[in-house]
Amino acid sequence: MGSVSNNDLISNETGSSSDGDRHKHNGAQQHATSESSSEAAKGGQGRMEDQINDEHLRRIEAMFHEADTDGGGGLDMEEFREAMKKIMGNVEDEDLDIIFMKVDTNCDGTVDWDEYLNYMLLEYREKDSLQKQNIPLYFPKPLKVVPVPQCEPIVRIQFHPYQAPQADKKVGEKGAVPKTRMHGRYLTVSRDGILNYWSERFKLTRTINLDHLKRTQLSSSSQPIWVTDMICLSNLNLLALASTGRDVEFFDISANKCDIVFALTGLDGYVVVMDYWTDGTKGIFCAGDVDGAISVFISHDVLHYGLFNSGAMKPIKSGGRARLAVPALLKNTSKCYLCFKVALHNEWCHQIRFLPELNAVATCCASDQTAMVLTSIPHSHKAKVYNSAFQLRKGILCFDYSAEFNIIVTGGFDRIVRVWNPYVTNCATCQMKGHSAAVTHISVNGKINKIISISKDKNVRVWDLQDCACLQNIHSRNMPMGRFPIFSAHYNPDTHILVMSTFLIGVLHGVVDDVDSIDKMKTSHEHSLCTALYNPNFKQVVSGCHNGVISVWDIMTGEKMMQFQTSPERAVEVTAMSFDGPKRRLITGSKDGVIRLWNFNNGALLLTLPLVDENEVTGILYINQRIYVSGWSKRVMWYLDVKEDMEIEYRVWNQYHAEDIYSMHVHGGKMLVTASYSGDIIVWNIDSGRAFCRFNAYESPRPLMPNRVIDLNRNLEACESRLTVPSRQSDEEEEEDMDELEGLHFAFPEAGQKSSGQTEDLENKRSNKSPRPKSKEKVKPEPINAEELEKPRLAVEKALFLGTRERSPDTAILLTSAADGHIYAWSIHHQGGLLGKFKAVHSEGTSISSMSTDCQDQMLLTGDSQGYIMLWNIGKYCYCMQGGQEAPSQQKGAVNLPSLIPKYCRLEGPRRTVTHAAQEVIDGWTVSLVPPPLLSSWRCHVKNIVSVEYVEHFHLIVTASLDCNVRLWTIAGGYVGTFGQAPWRVGNPMAFPWDLPIDLRRIGSSQTLKVLNRGSRPHWHCTRRILNALRFQRKQASSSAADNLEQVTTDPRIAEYTDEQIEQTWKEWAVKGKQKSLILGQTYKPKVRHHLPTCPPDLQSSFSSREQLRVYKTIPYSNLLPIIQPPVPDLLKEQLQKTQEGADASKHIKQKRLSKRAPMRFLAASKAVCRKNMVTRLFTK
């Protein structure tokens, strides 16, 4: 319970801002650093929750009851501070206030023990779930299947390095070298003796039939034998092969050879498993047979003396093979060799391996009493061999050893992965369950704390060695390797590659060692972002994505503090987010219209508001204890924020938008603005809920009367309820609404049926007699008119109030961005209108998708659909344009933000904003076209920026984009980091990531790279040198061409001819047929380009359907010539005639034979008929 992870204390190391070369800066970063250095100094001892243990919790519970002096059942903020200081010691009041605000989400001013404990439990649970979710997959890529040109299963896979492995030496030891990854090749052998060589990328390089070699060179019998095991002796360039022939044969595989060298004979039973170990000098070869016995052969200097004693080798005949009898080797007494044989199991061995750290040979079998046995290696021939047996029901089928933790990991028929202490044989230290079939192969990597197990049903699981939890489960359906189980597996801990085999080869590539490169490829979310908000109370950034996932980030370090799903049943896109008034709760709106309230610090769902409309929510605002919602329903509604167990009151305002609402913003808690897809901008009175003003830049620059809209596509009851005056309204509001009905607007959903402001009688509206569309009449589809095609360009993407300005005819307090890339400045005074507009994008087809300002409205931040961000100085823009007042004065102690942006951020080149005219007159109304000063511009993302927010306290900018990333920038354009990647410390500029984002380095413009590199242009120095070199080469080429021209004109042979004669000679040479080749002579003809005909030929179509054959292009064609049959030789004619005559003769003979047989058949049939008639007559009589 002590690891509850909140960002209550800023966990940054103490340190002031340093003026390093990397961030030697501009005033912006120095100012931000000076303000945030004090924040960074608080985290010297870590977060306070990390120091809470069980004893602290018991004391906190007791103090909750003791500190409740007023008897209200809870602690207020002062009582909470005193209680926590008594227990935790010297803690800052600000940190305790943050904890209090996190727990007191209902803002009632008190916190009781149950509320505090529930908060901590929920946060701990969500934090643990987040930690498990953030663990990357060890095998992120799917299985790669490699086909094998054979029909028998592969019984063994081995990796043969090109360089023999050396003995592991400690750093500082003589001869110690840094360990590098071994390069080599893979060897596989099938049951019928087919040996294949594979590259590291599993390209088949060589195939050898070992069974064929044995039959032709070594064996006198022709009986087939099955290969049981194979092992590579890398430092000896030997390959040991065990088979059912009771011999272990050794092949020389050096220099692409595969010749048999010698064989071990005289074994009591055939060998089923083998192992070889060497440290470069000593070599140990182990073999386990079908009877459960093991044979161990040790050479103390394998390179000098060899692996086996050559004195026991029998003499060989010419063309034969060298034979080493195992009984003779066991009788050897040489000091250079040590051999022994021990009967351990009553069943055949499943695996054998020498463990140098334990100086023992480990074997396993499927027996209960001797499931696994550790056999110690004696130091001499006379020393006794000791065994240590592990007992386990159903035995052990596979095992592996971890030298880092000194443990043995096993698997068997009971489907359980066990971890053993080598010195405790009676029980395992831990168990991991999850397999549904017997575990046949297992590997452990102690460096990364991973266990990989494979079961008989081809289920691959990755386990955490410390937590004993399953990290990844690869189901058998994702292992397309046939119906048979895995026969062999090889795991390479250096390359993190797992190779498995049946009749095919399957390869799983694990994660690489370069963690930094993995972090750079991560994104903040798995799906595109909806928005990102900054919470100044907790110094956190809250982001939501289209998959319904909310993530909470610490802005000081970039670490993810919390993550939860808004719709656990099914993923629903989050489309809008906002904080409540005290900024303690998060309000989310989804695509299905559901509004939810959350405690975003622990992921607890506090409340779900009643569902009024199932359309997508695009805007949420919290104003005066009310939650205002707008979206694709084309209406604005509000919910009353009440306490728990109280009925939620809500109200839907009248509809004045004919299209979807895209944006919504508030001014001073009194005015609300909504902007829609059709370009309408409606300004509302929050208190009365009335729309008192409408703007549309494509209709008029002056204020317009809002048009009431009745959507007849809704049901009749809803329509009638809107036409009648609600009972909640007062008499005055009723009269105002009746006056507004003169501009009533009916919206029909059918194409071509939208009315344009038809006005009806007041009596008809009072009696609810509205026209209804006739459903029986078939409406013909009409083509889309120009007005419909123009709507996407008219759409208002964002609306933003300037909160520090007051309403005035010559002062703009409302900024809107349209889909054409322009920003419009509006005065919402009844005598005001459109005061100015300017283009805020670089290229055509780009729109402004997000806008925000600082608290003093000094600077406007815009993000567009191409991923660019722009900073504008709007302090004097469209403010008191008639000269009545000066620009608004800054508050005392406020920072002049434009002065923090260095000069190198100014836009240069063709992308800078150029104004051709200072103003424009529309319908007699003058509109300013002069843009505000552009302070800086750079590219933050590669896709649409959905949110841009300025952080006042640290002078930072938070951006979110459809490229799934949330990034943090300084006001001067310095890259701080991407949330979810490498961490940073805001208080320490030297802790910022050194490298820029990969995507921006790849596609960033010169302006972007200049801003991100703080004014320097390292890539353009090389470009300038290349351009200078090309310019110099061009000058040389032009000068050499002039010299050649002079030489040509001065040639006496050419000077004899005039220009007309030279031109005529050229034309003759260019005529077809006049050219000739130096090699082919006059027969050479160049290729002729066929030109397409100007008009296609007339083709007759025989299609019966409406669609006719349309010819767009034709290829050159010509009429076909008649086919001329070649003459038949006389000899062939005679042969054909003879053949025809012979066929006619045989046919004539056959007809004669048939004619002779026909009368006899007729006579026999007549006799049979007569006999039948006589028999019938006799029976009738």
Side-chain angles (χ1 to χ4, degrees), residues 102 127 207 303 611 614 634 830 862 882 1012 1097 1116 1140:
K102 286 182 178 181
K127 192 68 177 180
T207 300
L303 296 177
L611 181 61
E614 294 183 357
K634 310 177 183 64
H830 65 278
T862 62
Q882 298 179 359
L1012 296 181
Q1140 185 67 25

Side-chain angles (χ1 to χ4, degrees), residues 1057-1100:
Y1057 300 94
T1058 62
D1059 295 340
E1060 291 77 9
Q1061 292 175 341
I1062 295 174
E1063 183 68 21
Q1064 183 64 27
T1065 306
W1066 167 256
K1067 291 181 179 179
E1068 292 178 358
W1069 180 84
V1071 175
K1072 183 179 179 181
K1074 296 295 183 180
Q1075 304 179 32
K1076 72 174 184 177
S1077 172
L1078 298 177
I1079 300 175
L1080 300 178
Q1082 293 290 346
T1083 59
Y1084 167 73
K1085 292 183 179 181
K1087 294 182 180 180
V1088 179
R1089 183 180 180 87
H1090 296 278
H1091 298 280
L1092 297 176
T1094 56
C1095 60
D1098 295 332
L1099 298 179
Q1100 297 296 332

Side-chain angles (χ1 to χ4, degrees), residues 183-449:
H183 295 276
R185 54 191 174 181
Y186 286 92
L187 277 68
T188 62
V189 64
S190 62
R191 188 169 60 180
D192 57 351
I194 304 298
L195 177 66
N196 290 325
Y197 286 69
W198 306 84
S199 66
E200 289 190 85
R201 297 186 177 181
F202 286 91
K203 300 293 184 182
L204 184 61
T205 59
R206 190 183 180 192
T207 300
I208 301 174
N209 194 333
L210 298 178
D211 188 49
H212 173 71
L213 292 175
K214 289 183 288 185
R215 288 201 305 266
T216 56
Q217 298 180 11
L218 308 176
S219 180
S220 59
S221 62
S222 59
Q223 284 186 348
I225 58 176
W226 299 117
V227 175
T228 58
D229 199 7
M230 176 187 69
I231 195 73
C232 291
L233 287 70
S234 302
N235 62 334
L236 301 178
N237 287 323
L238 294 178
L239 179 70
L241 198 71
S243 62
T244 56
R246 294 195 178 186
D247 290 345
V248 179
E249 298 165 334
F250 292 82
F251 295 84
D252 182 9
I253 56 175
S254 62
N256 290 328
K257 296 188 299 182
C258 192
D259 302 330
I260 191 166
V261 181
F262 59 91
L264 289 180
T265 60
L267 295 169
D268 297 333
Y270 63 85
V271 174
V272 290
V273 288
M274 296 182 297
D275 182 64
Y276 176 74
W277 174 88
T278 182
D279 59 356
T281 303
K282 186 178 180 181
I284 300 178
F285 179 80
C286 310
D289 58 24
V290 71
D291 298 328
I294 66 169
S295 301
V296 182
F297 305 91
I298 305 172
S299 174
H300 296 287
D301 194 344
V302 67
L303 296 177
H304 186 265
Y305 299 109
L307 183 59
F308 303 102
N309 188 0
S310 58
M313 186 177 299
K314 297 182 179 180
I316 58 176
K317 301 178 181 179
S318 60
R321 59 174 175 175
R323 301 169 62 87
L324 288 173
V326 173
L329 293 175
L330 295 176
K331 296 178 181 178
N332 174 62
T333 58
S334 173
K335 296 181 179 180
C336 301
Y337 304 96
L338 177 62
C339 308
F340 64 92
K341 180 178 180 180
V342 183
L344 300 176
H345 308 282
N346 52 8
E347 292 186 5
W348 56 283
C349 298
H350 284 269
Q351 186 177 349
I352 187 171
R353 181 180 172 185
F354 173 71
L355 307 178
E357 292 79 9
L358 303 178
N359 193 31
V361 176
T363 57
C364 67
C365 73
S367 175
D368 296 348
Q369 300 299 323
T370 57
M372 183 171 61
V373 178
L374 296 180
T375 304
S376 62
I377 300 297
H379 61 275
S380 65
H381 297 280
K382 299 181 180 180
K384 187 178 180 180
V385 178
Y386 294 94
N387 299 324
S388 177
F390 293 75
Q391 299 180 2
L392 184 64
R393 188 172 178 269
K394 296 184 179 180
I396 294 176
L397 299 180
C398 56
F399 68 88
D400 197 8
Y401 176 77
S402 172
E404 291 80 6
F405 296 96
N406 191 26
I407 56 173
I408 300 176
V409 184
T410 63
F413 282 114
D414 57 358
R415 310 184 298 275
I416 300 176
V417 177
R418 289 180 170 85
V419 179
W420 302 78
N421 185 338
Y423 305 104
V424 181
T425 61
N426 53 0
C427 65
T429 56
C430 66
Q431 300 179 0
M432 287 164 276
K433 300 180 180 180
H435 282 286
S436 57
V439 180
T440 56
H441 301 85
I442 199 164
S443 299
V444 59
N445 191 340
K447 297 178 181 178
I448 59 175
N449 300 329

Side-chain angles (χ1 to χ4, degrees), residues 25-83:
H25 281 351
N26 51 68
Q29 192 153 8
Q30 291 178 357
H31 186 83
T33 304
S34 62
E35 288 191 358
S36 58
S37 59
S38 60
E39 301 289 341
K42 296 181 181 179
Q45 297 179 354
R47 288 188 292 266
M48 189 179 68
E49 285 80 3
D50 297 335
Q51 305 174 16
I52 298 178
N53 52 29
D54 295 338
E55 181 181 356
H56 289 158
L57 286 176
R58 285 191 292 267
R59 295 177 59 186
I60 290 173
E61 181 182 7
M63 290 300 298
F64 259 96
H65 300 292
E66 295 177 3
D68 185 14
T69 56
D70 55 2
L75 305 182
D76 56 16
M77 187 171 289
E78 292 295 334
E79 295 173 344
F80 183 78
R81 288 177 185 172
E82 295 178 1

